[in-house]
Amino acid sequence: MKKRMLILSSCLFAVCLFLTGCMHTTKEGVSNSDKSVKIGVLLPLSGGASSYGEEMMMVLKHKNAMLKNPAELHFEDSKCTASDAVSGFQKLVDLKSVDAILGGFCSSETLAIEPLLEQNNLVAISGTSSSPEIEGKSQNMMTLSYSDNVIAEAMAKHLAGSKNIAIITEQNDYNIALKNSLENLLGDKIIANEVFEKDAKDMRNIIEKVKQSSPDVLILNPNIGDTTTTLITQLAESKDYFKNIKLVSQETYVADSSRVGVEDLVEGMVLFAAPTLSDSRVDSFIASLPSSVDNLGVFYSATAHDALENLVRAVQDSRLNNTLVLDELRNGPLSGLVVKGKDFAGKNFVQGIEAGKFVVTKGKAVSQK
């Protein structure tokens, strides 16, 4: 009898050890599977792009509340600059001990934190960064956006029959990358190629230089934020000149609020940006968001949803499976509204995202499906 009890006790002890191992108990005696997931979020919460950062924060908080096991979200103000992104990253790592990073928001932020990811054994997913320079960087850095190369290719195709093209660009990683792509694709068709300083307040000298080149097409390439409005407003001061010139731009002028007061000038303006999403799940999520989320747009609201969903799932699965978070993200299809069923295929950009085309009509950016 004693022998049978001893065998039974040994078996029970072995089972307990097995279950304990499966639950990945920490030194503090708390199961890893029971610990909340900590996500560090880098967003521009001050500066010219703050309205977009604040709206994305609302989207992320809303999505997080929908999760079965909500994560701890820790926000840092990255201000759409490389230095502030690095500072925010270090705070999230050193003070909050986050499990993963959602960000950066701007490409300059994403490129700045990329070298720090492997050093700290962390992964990051951006829902918005689109600079082609991201491709080929650390596998720990991923983005759910399209690449600016996709936008440049769509613009070049649209302008295939055009000559005498001028470009006005803001000195910023995202915009310079798009400019470089356009230069490669348009070549000698570009007759004026002007760059203004980041966050500049006066672009009138550059506008005059463009006028002197007598372009048939003008590509406006400012960053999101205050310079978007400043550039188009100062361009409107020469409305009689530019009203006969074809205007083309990117994501920054899709929001109708970015073109208020210059409706006559921008009528017919062609925009290449995030694609239009036609999906009842997307519609349902967008309808559930606070009404104050009105500039971020459907696509980036949806990619914010997907970035958080996939990061939280990857951290949770890595604990259950005793695997790396990176492997969970890269070794299988993603979930969500935009990227469901898609993967990275060894790239930094999620594959299969195409450009959307819009035409400004009676004050509205109308999708050209």
Side-chain angles (χ1 to χ4, degrees):
M1 182 68 175
K2 289 183 179 180
K3 184 176 181 180
R4 290 173 61 188
M5 290 295 293
L6 181 61
I7 293 173
L8 180 60
S9 297
S10 298
C11 290
L12 288 172
F13 180 70
V15 169
C16 288
L17 285 177
F18 174 76
L19 291 174
T20 301
C22 287
M23 294 178 69
H24 308 145
T25 303
T26 64
K27 292 181 180 179
E28 292 79 12
V30 178
S31 166
N32 266 337
S33 60
D34 292 334
K35 288 173 60 180
S36 60
V37 174
K38 295 182 179 181
I39 303 296
V41 186
L42 293 171
L43 292 175
L45 300 176
S46 63
S50 61
S51 62
Y52 294 91
E54 289 166 358
E55 288 189 14
M56 182 164 279
M57 181 166 64
M58 287 188 279
V59 172
L60 291 171
K61 288 182 177 180
H62 182 77
K63 168 59 180 175
N64 194 47
M66 296 169 61
L67 295 175
K68 181 179 180 181
N69 296 302
E72 291 181 24
L73 300 183
H74 299 279
F75 295 91
E76 286 294 333
D77 183 6
S78 49
K79 301 180 182 178
C80 204
T81 70
S83 58
D84 287 296
V86 169
S87 177
F89 178 91
Q90 294 294 358
K91 290 179 182 178
L92 292 170
V93 172
D94 298 338
L95 302 180
K96 301 300 181 181
S97 300
V98 297
D99 298 301
I101 299 291
L102 200 159
F105 184 87
C106 299
S107 293
S108 54
E109 302 169 21
T110 300
L111 290 166
I113 68 169
E114 179 267 336
L116 306 175
L117 294 172
E118 290 188 26
Q119 297 174 21
N120 291 277
N121 196 30
L122 285 173
V123 300
I125 291 184
S126 171
T128 52
S129 295
S130 56
S131 171
E133 293 183 20
I134 294 171
E135 192 57 70
K137 299 294 185 181
S138 168
Q139 288 283 288
N140 292 49
M141 170 57 69
M142 291 152 276
T143 176
L144 304 186
S145 176
Y146 50 81
S147 167
D148 290 332
N149 282 340
V150 173
I151 299 298
E153 289 165 3
M155 282 187 182
K157 182 178 179 180
H158 174 72
L159 297 173
S162 299
K163 298 179 180 179
N164 302 324
I165 299 171
I167 306 175
I168 297 179
T169 298
E170 183 168 357
Q171 182 69 50
N172 183 70
D173 286 343
Y174 155 65
N175 304 99
I176 294 297
L178 178 58
K179 177 186 75 72
N180 292 342
S181 295
L182 288 169
E183 288 172 350
N184 291 332
L185 293 167
L186 297 174
D188 294 340
K189 291 183 177 182
I190 300 174
I191 59 171
N193 200 352
E194 301 294 334
V195 177
F196 63 86
E197 292 184 4
K198 181 178 174 65
D199 298 327
K201 305 297 183 184
D202 191 341
M203 297 88 163
R204 292 179 179 87
N205 286 339
I206 281 179
I207 292 172
E208 285 302 315
K209 290 181 181 179
V210 167
K211 289 169 64 176
Q212 291 172 15
S213 71
S214 300
D216 300 317
V217 178
L218 174 57
I219 299 175
L220 301 178
N221 185 26
N223 195 20
I224 58 173
D226 295 341
T227 50
T228 298
T229 304
T230 302
L231 177 58
I232 199 69
T233 300
Q234 293 180 7
L235 203 71
E237 294 172 2
S238 300
K239 180 176 63 176
D240 290 341
Y241 179 86
F242 286 107
K243 67 181 180 181
N244 296 318
I245 294 174
K246 183 185 296 184
L247 297 181
V248 177
S249 191
Q250 29 80 345
E251 187 72 42
T252 52
Y253 288 110
V254 172
D256 294 332
S257 59
S258 67
R259 296 175 267 101
V260 173
V262 294
E263 287 81 2
D264 290 345
L265 174 66
V266 299
E267 183 70 14
M269 185 181 192
V270 181
L271 308 170
F272 294 92
T276 300
L277 303 177
S278 300
D279 188 301
S280 60
R281 297 175 306 128
V282 175
D283 295 341
S284 177
F285 177 69
I286 297 301
S288 71
L289 292 173
S291 59
S292 52
V293 179
D294 57 359
N295 286 320
L296 188 60
V298 173
F299 181 81
Y300 288 125
S301 295
T303 55
H305 168 290
D306 291 1
L308 181 61
E309 178 173 300
N310 282 282
L311 277 177
V312 173
R313 175 189 55 78
V315 173
Q316 291 171 339
D317 287 352
S318 73
R319 293 173 178 175
L320 290 172
N321 301 329
N322 197 24
T323 54
L324 298 175
V325 177
L326 179 63
D327 291 339
E328 293 292 343
L329 286 168
R330 287 196 170 273
N331 294 343
L334 300 167
S335 62
L337 301 175
V338 179
V339 301
K340 181 180 180 181
K342 292 181 170 59
D343 58 36
F344 293 100
K347 305 288 187 179
N348 298 91
F349 283 88
V350 69
Q351 301 300 290
I353 306 294
E354 299 180 352
K357 180 180 178 181
F358 302 80
V359 176
V360 178
T361 307
K362 296 181 180 180
K364 300 291 183 181
V366 180
S367 175
Q368 308 296 295
K369 297 182 181 179

